[in-house]
Amino acid sequence: STANAPEDDALNRYSRTERTTFSRYSRDANSSGSSLPSNTLEKRIEELERELAKERQENARLIKMVQDKEELIGKLKEEIDLLNR
């Protein structure tokens, strides 16, 4: 469970940053008098949020795979050391 803590911290850090960025861009888009209707922008935002969620999920899966492989490498190194002795 401690191996997941850095991953959780990283995901939380990204989500806070992205929420701040999202809020800033949302205000800028609304105040700039953009030519796109607001519902088009809202649909695009929802689409991007779905893509972001998928990317985060894939990132978490890849991080887990790397951690599992690193753990296996460590175990194999220990086994090699024992066999060499």
Side-chain angles (χ1 to χ4, degrees):
S1 66
T2 57
N4 288 339
E7 177 185 322
D8 292 341
D9 289 345
L11 292 175
N12 288 334
R13 182 174 61 247
Y14 288 129
S15 64
R16 278 195 301 272
T17 302
E18 287 161 359
R19 271 189 257 126
T20 303
T21 303
F22 167 74
S23 296
R24 181 175 59 233
Y25 286 132
S26 178
R27 282 194 306 271
D28 291 347
N30 290 337
S31 65
S32 67
S34 177
S35 61
L36 291 173
S38 64
N39 68 346
T40 303
L41 291 175
E42 289 172 7
K43 287 180 183 177
R44 180 67 177 142
I45 289 169
E46 289 173 5
E47 178 183 327
L48 290 172
E49 286 174 340
R50 283 191 298 273
E51 288 179 30
L52 179 60
K54 288 178 187 176
E55 291 294 328
R56 282 188 177 146
Q57 192 173 23
E58 176 69 2
N59 189 36
R61 187 184 68 80
L62 292 172
I63 288 170
K64 175 71 172 131
M65 282 178 52
V66 168
Q67 289 172 340
D68 290 347
K69 287 183 181 188
E70 287 175 349
E71 184 179 329
L72 178 60
I73 288 169
K75 288 178 182 178
L76 291 172
K77 282 182 180 179
E78 289 175 12
E79 190 173 334
I80 289 169
D81 287 344
L82 288 173
L83 291 171
N84 284 334
R85 292 179 193 169

